[in-house]
Amino acid sequence: MDHYDSQQTNDYMQPEEDWDRDLLLDPAWEKQQRKTFTAWCNSHLRKAGTQIENIEEDFRDGLKLMLLLEVISGERLAKPERGKMRVHKISNVNKALDFIASKGVKLVSIGAEEIVDGNVKMTLGMIWTIILRFAIQDISVEETSAKEGLLLWCQRKTAPYKNVNIQNFHISWKDGLGFCALIHRHRPELIDYGKLRKDDPLTNLNTAFDVAEKYLDIPKMLDAEDIVGTARPDEKAIMTYVSSFYHAFSGAQKAETAANRICKVLAVNQENEQLMEDYEKLASDLLEWIRRTIPWLENRVPENTMHAMQQKLEDFRDYRRLHKPPKVQEKCQLEINFNTLQTKLRLSNRPAFMPSEGRMVSDINNAWGCLEQVEKGYEEWLLNEIRRLERLDHLAEKFRQKASIHEAWTDGKEAMLRQKDYETATLSEIKALLKKHEAFESDLAAHQDRVEQIAAIAQELNELDYYDSPSVNARCQKICDQWDNLGALTQKRREALERTEKLLETIDQLYLEYAKRAAPFNNWMEGAMEDLQDTFIVHTIEEIQEIGRISIEMHGTLEDQLSHLRQYEKSIVNYKPKIDQLEGDHQLIQEALIFDNKHTNYTMEHIRVGWEQLLTTIARTINEVENQILTRDAKGISQEQMNEFRASFNHFDRKKTGMMDTDDFRACLISMGYNMGEAEFARIMSIVDPNRLGVVTFQAFIDFMSRETADTDTADQVMASFKILAGDKNYITMDELRRELPPDQAEYCIARMAPYTGPDSVPGALDYMSFSTALYGESDL
């Protein structure tokens, strides 16, 4: 017996002085103890074919006392002395007391001489010590022991009974309902509890005592009249009697404990399966969204108009502002859920979760990386297309301006060239017409550059795939055809005028000179006006500062770190309106067709990526600390141990990457006292690095440091629990599962247990052994 158990026993042993005082205060207690202890001793002595009548007389020679200890302990004592002399009796009693002391019990003021002399107080004290050690001490309910364990058991069993309130081992039992409730809870067919009345304690007590003796093989250890007639019944007598009920129902208690263990294990399994289903669905939905989105971002078919392309840009902005952010959160939450699930599986000694093919976290990260790569290319394409359309619109407008000016200039020119005013003109008029025609020819030659420019612009619009090229080409062709026609008409009129000039040589020289000088000036002025009407484009604007990556220094307890991280996360979330304002400014800049910023190299893409990385990093860091707290609490790691683990890990994380490589981890283990060969180190690496990545994370490190001493459920324990429910058979039936487990967990087992095929199989037999193994994975057995 360890120190704790012996101390528990000593806590409920009283020194001789206390026994004297108790008996002086209430002689009824001595009477109750005589009856109870005598009945308790006889319940064991009858197994050896004997009994006692008088408790202080019948143990004086030590023979029945030694026999009693052999029956209740199952061990053999030293051979007794058969002589009748006092020395023989003292020797036998000492052998009994020595045996009691060997069980870790400290006997207070109890000597063999007092027992041999028939000292009633000492004899009752000795018997109480034996009862405590062999009937009460080993009672344990939820890690309590002895008196508290027995009291907690009584409270648990009588909790459903409204008229029963067990708070102690004296007055709580006076009305008899506590005894009746204990019997009814385990054997409801023996007592009609509904007919019992709280104001009839004698009937209740006698009912319980009679039923216990007749059907439960528990002798009457108390008198109902003594209990009712005493203000405060003797605690030791009540505890002794109640302990007999506990042991009588111990089989049911074991089954209940086994059922509770199985329920706990199945509940963990059901919760983990639900988490796995949630992960699979979330991963599937996210991958499906990525698969639907990538083709949209890969579609690089340009629109014909600036308005249509700007609508594409607006749709892309909606995707960035409205559709993608929730998916970023889903991806982050998916990783957090995956890490939390793996932590829970490790803590419950279950195999690691392996997602379905194509739904690994790495698969999602790869798909997400492809999405962001395509997304970046799509935005670049959009902006380039808008620039191209802007250039096309500018060229088209320039074409229209030059064509309009040219068409305005040519308006009426064909009619003018076709007129035959020279037929009725004088010589001076003819000379004037000829000079005027020469001026026109000069003006016409000056317009040659414009026609060539119009044709060149039309050619450039064709090369840039301008959507309205057919109409541009038609207009250009019309201008060129008209230009050729004007040239032919001009040549024809010149010839006509020159023919007429020979006939009419008197022409107004001054007027002709004026016309010649006016024509170039008019041409220059029209050209200047045309140049002034030409449009231009500017691409400059101030750009905002990018947000840099943050690093968080962690000090204090894990809870302090978690509190600091959550405050930091709150401050980051509070910064979101500034990012939204920045997006709005960026939209206005793009809508103003300004794409270059001489003041900074940063773009809105840099800021978005940095912001999303900041949100994801803080969420992942919070999850890492939460998992460390979960591991620390489940494994019983103190804060000091966690700090030591962190210090060792940081020291050997030489590259400061948050991970140790294989050599650093080996050096860390050696520094902590591990002396291992290659095979042992390989086994440890298979635990901390199951994916063989060549690195050890801090979470894997603390899992390894704590798992060797962790007190967790194992497959062997679960199998042993099923074996108890099955009545020690190698199989269990559906009826037994439904009787011992809650309905949902019983059906859970039935649906998953394979039929038992052993030689002793019966119809409906189920194989609980392979089921227990499957709960933990093959590697644990």
Side-chain angles (χ1 to χ4, degrees), residues 648-649 652-653 658-662 664-665 668 694-697 701:
S648 297
F649 185 89
F652 287 95
D653 178 16
M659 295 178 289
M660 290 189 288
D661 62 26
T662 304
D664 289 341
F665 178 57
C668 181
V695 294
V696 180
T697 65
F701 176 70

Side-chain angles (χ1 to χ4, degrees), residues 15 39 78-79 113 140 157 190 268 286 316 331 340 378 386 416 424 434 456-457 514 543 552 633 690 743 750 759 768:
K79 186 176 181 180
E113 290 80 0
S140 176
K157 294 303 180 180
L190 298 181
V268 170
L286 186 58
F316 181 70
K331 178 178 177 292
T340 301
Y378 185 70
I386 288 176
M416 181 270 291
T424 58
L434 190 56
I457 292 172
Y514 171 80
E543 187 166 296
I552 303 173
D633 293 342
I750 292 170
Y768 63 78

Side-chain angles (χ1 to χ4, degrees), residues 593-647:
L593 302 177
I594 298 172
F595 302 97
D596 299 315
N597 188 344
K598 66 182 181 181
H599 299 287
T600 180
N601 292 326
Y602 294 118
T603 66
M604 196 62 211
E605 175 64 17
H606 292 120
I607 296 174
R608 287 193 203 100
V609 171
W611 175 251
E612 291 172 1
Q613 288 177 346
L614 185 60
L615 288 175
T616 302
T617 299
I618 195 69
R620 286 173 177 161
T621 306
I622 287 174
N623 178 243
E624 180 184 3
V625 175
E626 287 175 339
N627 281 343
Q628 290 178 23
I629 292 174
L630 190 63
T631 300
R632 181 199 65 191
D633 293 342
K635 301 289 188 178
I637 303 173
S638 66
Q639 186 62 48
E640 288 74 19
Q641 287 176 306
M642 185 63 77
N643 291 340
E644 289 177 7
F645 292 161
R646 170 65 75 179

Side-chain angles (χ1 to χ4, degrees), residues 728-731 756-763 765:
D728 210 36
K729 301 189 299 293
N730 291 327
Y731 59 85
Y756 177 73
T757 57
D760 56 341
S761 175
V762 299

Side-chain angles (χ1 to χ4, degrees), residues 2 315 472 494 517 727:
D2 58 26
D315 292 342
V472 169
R494 165 173 276 283
R517 291 181 180 276

